[in-house]
C-alpha cells in the first residue's frame, strides 16, 4: 500500500488574518459528526423483504424513497448489466461533446411521451435537473415559489438571479395576492413540487394552474416524488393538468440515479445550450439510463405496484392516527411524525432503530426550527406484517418519550 502521509505539511497563518477554514470548527455541523446520529449511516447489505443490514443487524427500511421497490428488481439489474457490457461504466464526457448515447435519446423520447411534453433532456441527477432550470430564471423575471420547495430549486433560482418571492405552503390565496401585486412588466413563473418530499402532501395544482392562466405566468413543477407513483397511468400530479416544465429524478420511483427536464421543444433546446449544470457535467452512465428505461416500462405496465404502495400508506396512516399522532390525511407514501424538538427527534430516531426500524430524522435546516420530524416511507416491499412492525415500534417509542397522548392497545 502506498501512502502520501510523509508529504503532509503544516501551514502557518499570519495571526492577524482569519483562516477561511475556521468556520469548519465553529459550525454546528461538527457537533453532528457522530456515529450515534442518524446521518451518513452505512447500509451494509440489502436483504430480502424490505430489510437492510446496519451495524451487522437486520432492520426494516422505512425511510427509503424507492417507492416502487425497483432498485433491486432483476429486470433493472439485467438492463444495467447489458448496458455496461456494451457501453462501459462511464461516458467520459458531457452530453454536448462525446457523452450522448443513443440510450439517452431513447429515454428522452419515452419520457416526453409519457409526460405529454414535446421533448426531454436527461441529466445525471435529479438535483442537477433542477439546477439546469436556472437559465429560465433571469434578472428580469419574478419567481413565486412554495416555501417548501426543495433546496435544489432554491439554488437554481439563486443561479438565475430572478426576483424571488415565497408564498405560504400550499396557500393559493397568498400566491394570488403576490401575483396581483407583481411587477406587470416582469416575466412570471410559479415554482412548486408535485408531492412535497418532507411532508408527503400534494400541491394544489388546479388552483395554481388557474392562477397562472389569469396572471400570465408559467408553471414549473418538480415531480421527483410523484412521477411514476401517482395518477391513473403513473404520470404524477400533473397527469391531468398541464404544466409548462417538469423535472423528475430516477432515484425514487425509477430505482436508479439520474434526472430529466421535460417541456416544449423550444425550452428544452434552449436549456441544452444554456444550462451550465448540464452542459459542463459528464453524462448519465449507460447502466443508469438503461435501468431507467426498464423502470419506465414497469411503471407503465404494472399499475398494481403503485396501487399496492398507496393502499399500504393509507393503512399506515390510519394506524398512526389510531395511536394518537396528528397525521395529515392522504395516500402518499411519505408520512411525517412531527416531534418539534431536535434532541427529542434524534432520540426518537435512535430508539426506533433500536426497535429494528430505520427511519429518517429531519432536523433544521432541512425543516424550520422547532419543527423536527421523523419521516416514514412506505414502499412496494412493505406488506401488512411490515406495517405492524412499524406501528409496534412507533407505539413503544411514543410511549417511552411521551410523543402520543394515547398508544391504543399496542
Amino acid at each position: 500500500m502506498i501512502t502520501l502521509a510523509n508529504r503532509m505539511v503544516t501551514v502557518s497563518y499570519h495571526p492577524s488574518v482569519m483562516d477561511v477554514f475556521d468556520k469548519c470548527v465553529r459550525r454546528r455541523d461538527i457537533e453532528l459528526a457522530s456515529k450515534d446520529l442518524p446521518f451518513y449511516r452505512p447500509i451494509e447489505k440489502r436483504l430480502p423483504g424490505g430489510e437492510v443490514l446496519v451495524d451487522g443487524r437486520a432492520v426494516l427500511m422505512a425511510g427509503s424513497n424507492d417507492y416502487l421497490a425497483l432498485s433491486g428488481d432483476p429486470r433493472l439489474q439485467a438492463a444495467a448489466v447489458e448496458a455496461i457490457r456494451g457501453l462501459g461504466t462511464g461516458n467520459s464526457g458531457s452530453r454536448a461533446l462525446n457523452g450522448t448515447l443513443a440510450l439517452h435519446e431513447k429515454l428522452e423520447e419515452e419520457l416526453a411521451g409519457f409526460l405529454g411534453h414535446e421533448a426531454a433532456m436527461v441529466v445525471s441527477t435529479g438535483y442537477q435537473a433542477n439546477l439546469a432550470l436556472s437559465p429560465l430564471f433571469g434578472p428580469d423575471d419574478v419567481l413565486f415559489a412554495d416555501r417548501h420547495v426543495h433546496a435544489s430549486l432554491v439554488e437554481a433560482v439563486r443561479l438565475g438571479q430572478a426576483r424571488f418571492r415565497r408564498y405560504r405552503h400550499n396557500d393559493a390565496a397568498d400566491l394570488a395576492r403576490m401575483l396581483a401585486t407583481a411587477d406587470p412588466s416582469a416575466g412570471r413563473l410559479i415554482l412548486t413540487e408535485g408531492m412535497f418530499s418532507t411532508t408527503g402532501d400534494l400541491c394544489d395544482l388546479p388552483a395554481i394552474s388557474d392562477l397562472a392562466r389569469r396572471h400570465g405566468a408559467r408553471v414549473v413543477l418538480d415531480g421527483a416524488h410523484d412521477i411514476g407513483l401517482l395518477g391513473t397511468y403513473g404520470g404524477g400530479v400533473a397527469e391531468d393538468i398541464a404544466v409548462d416544465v417538469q423535472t423528475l429524478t430516477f432515484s425514487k420511483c425509477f430505482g436508479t440515479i439520474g434526472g430529466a427536464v421535460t417541456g416544449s421543444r423550444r425550452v428544452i433546446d434552449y436549456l441544452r445550450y444554456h444550462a451550465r449544470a448540464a452542459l459542463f457535467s459528464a453524462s448519465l452512465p449507460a447502466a443508469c439510463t438503461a435501468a431507467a428505461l426498464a423502470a419506465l416500462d414497469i411503471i407503465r405496465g404494472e399499475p398494481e405496484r403503485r396501487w399496492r404502495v398507496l393502499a399500504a400508506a393509507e393503512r399506515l396512516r390510519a394506524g398512526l392516527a389510531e395511536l394518537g399522532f396528528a397525521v395529515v390525511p392522504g395516500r402518499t407514501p411519505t408520512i411525517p411524525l412531527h416531534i418539534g424538538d431536535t434532541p427529542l427527534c434524534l432520540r426518537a430516531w435512535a430508539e426506533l432503530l433500536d426497535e429494528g426500524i430505520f427511519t429518517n430524522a429531519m432536523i433544521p435546516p432541512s425543516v424550520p426550527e422547532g419543527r423536527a420530524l421523523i419521516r416514514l416511507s412506505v414502499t412496494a416491499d412493505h406488506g401488512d406484517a411490515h406495517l405492524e412492525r412499524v406501528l409496534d415500534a412507533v407505539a413503544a417509542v411514543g410511549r417511552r418519550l411521551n410523543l402520543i397522548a394515547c398508544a391504543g392497545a399496542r
Side-chain angles (χ1 to χ4, degrees):
M1 178 178 178
I2 299 175
T3 178
L4 299 180
N6 60 324
R7 295 178 59 187
M8 294 179 64
V9 296
T10 301
V11 179
S12 298
Y13 291 92
H14 194 284
S16 64
V17 177
M18 177 179 290
D19 181 1
V20 70
F21 292 158
D22 281 349
K23 65 174 70 70
C24 302
V25 178
R26 292 197 307 268
R27 286 177 57 86
R28 175 171 171 264
D29 296 2
I30 200 70
E31 301 169 11
L32 299 177
S34 166
K35 66 177 183 178
D36 298 323
L37 289 172
F39 314 113
Y40 298 97
R41 297 297 291 258
I43 305 296
E44 296 155 14
K45 188 178 181 180
R46 176 176 293 160
L47 304 173
E51 291 189 321
V52 294
L53 200 66
V54 178
D55 296 331
R57 184 167 69 104
V59 298
L60 179 65
M61 173 54 72
S64 173
N65 295 325
D66 185 17
Y67 301 126
L68 302 183
L70 289 180
S71 62
D73 190 286
R75 291 166 290 183
L76 270 70
Q77 294 173 346
V81 169
E82 182 181 356
I84 286 175
R85 286 175 176 157
L87 292 161
T89 57
N91 301 322
S92 303
S94 70
R95 288 289 308 274
L97 298 178
N98 61 292
T100 288
L101 304 175
L103 275 176
H104 292 145
E105 295 186 334
K106 178 174 174 56
L107 179 56
E108 287 170 344
E109 181 181 357
E110 295 285 333
L111 284 172
F114 178 59
L115 297 175
H117 285 151
E118 291 179 345
M121 178 176 70
V122 166
V123 295
S124 297
T125 69
Y127 198 107
Q128 188 186 44
N130 283 341
L131 290 185
L133 297 171
S134 61
L136 302 177
F137 309 151
D140 295 328
D141 304 324
V142 57
L143 194 152
F144 307 89
D146 188 292
R147 287 189 181 276
H148 285 194
V149 294
H150 194 266
S152 55
L153 292 169
V154 176
E155 291 301 317
V157 177
R158 290 172 176 167
L159 285 172
Q161 303 178 4
R163 285 168 280 176
F164 195 25
R165 302 187 67 182
R166 308 288 293 272
Y167 62 89
R168 289 190 294 269
H169 176 54
N170 256 347
D171 190 332
D174 195 37
L175 174 59
R177 178 186 59 79
M178 289 184 176
L179 286 165
T181 58
D183 179 356
S185 66
R188 303 176 182 193
L189 190 146
I190 302 170
L191 184 60
T192 185
E193 294 183 35
M195 173 180 148
F196 290 92
S197 58
T198 300
T199 52
D201 55 335
L202 305 179
C203 73
D204 186 355
L205 190 56
I208 290 171
S209 179
D210 178 64
L211 287 170
R213 285 195 301 270
R214 287 162 47 193
H215 293 277
R218 297 289 190 175
V219 177
V220 173
L221 184 141
D222 178 354
H225 289 262
D226 57 280
I227 292 175
L229 177 70
L230 303 180
T232 303
Y233 304 102
V237 168
E239 184 175 271
D240 297 319
I241 301 176
V243 296
D244 295 290
V245 174
Q246 278 188 279
T247 60
L248 66 150
T249 181
F250 305 147
S251 62
K252 276 71 177 177
C253 289
F254 288 72
T256 182
I257 193 72
V261 185
T262 67
S264 67
R265 190 165 300 282
R266 68 166 176 159
V267 167
I268 299 304
D269 285 348
Y270 174 76
L271 293 180
R272 288 188 193 282
Y273 290 94
H274 293 84
R276 295 168 66 88
L279 195 58
F280 296 101
S281 182
S283 63
L284 186 68
C288 301
T289 311
L293 270 164
L296 183 56
D297 283 342
I298 295 170
I299 288 167
R300 290 183 293 202
E302 299 180 12
E304 65 276 6
R305 188 178 288 264
R306 59 179 176 272
W307 299 339
R308 186 165 70 247
V309 177
L310 299 177
E314 197 169 20
R315 290 195 297 274
L316 184 58
R317 269 192 167 82
L320 292 168
E322 184 181 344
L323 287 174
F325 281 96
V327 180
V328 176
R331 296 182 67 199
T332 66
T334 294
I335 306 171
L337 300 180
H338 295 280
I339 307 296
D341 179 67
T342 293
L344 184 60
C345 183
L346 295 176
R347 184 177 173 188
W349 179 90
E351 294 206 13
L352 284 168
L353 187 61
D354 289 342
E355 294 282 342
I357 308 297
F358 194 107
T359 63
N360 299 140
M362 309 296 290
I363 65 172
S366 298
V367 294
E369 289 289 344
R371 300 183 68 176
L373 59 89
I374 296 292
R375 185 175 66 180
L376 300 172
S377 294
V378 178
T379 76
D381 276 336
H382 292 150
D384 288 343
H386 296 113
L387 301 181
E388 286 299 312
R389 283 177 61 183
V390 173
L391 289 169
D392 286 343
V394 170
V397 173
R399 283 194 296 266
R400 288 197 297 267
L401 300 185
N402 295 318
L403 299 177
I404 46 180
C406 173
R410 295 181 184 274

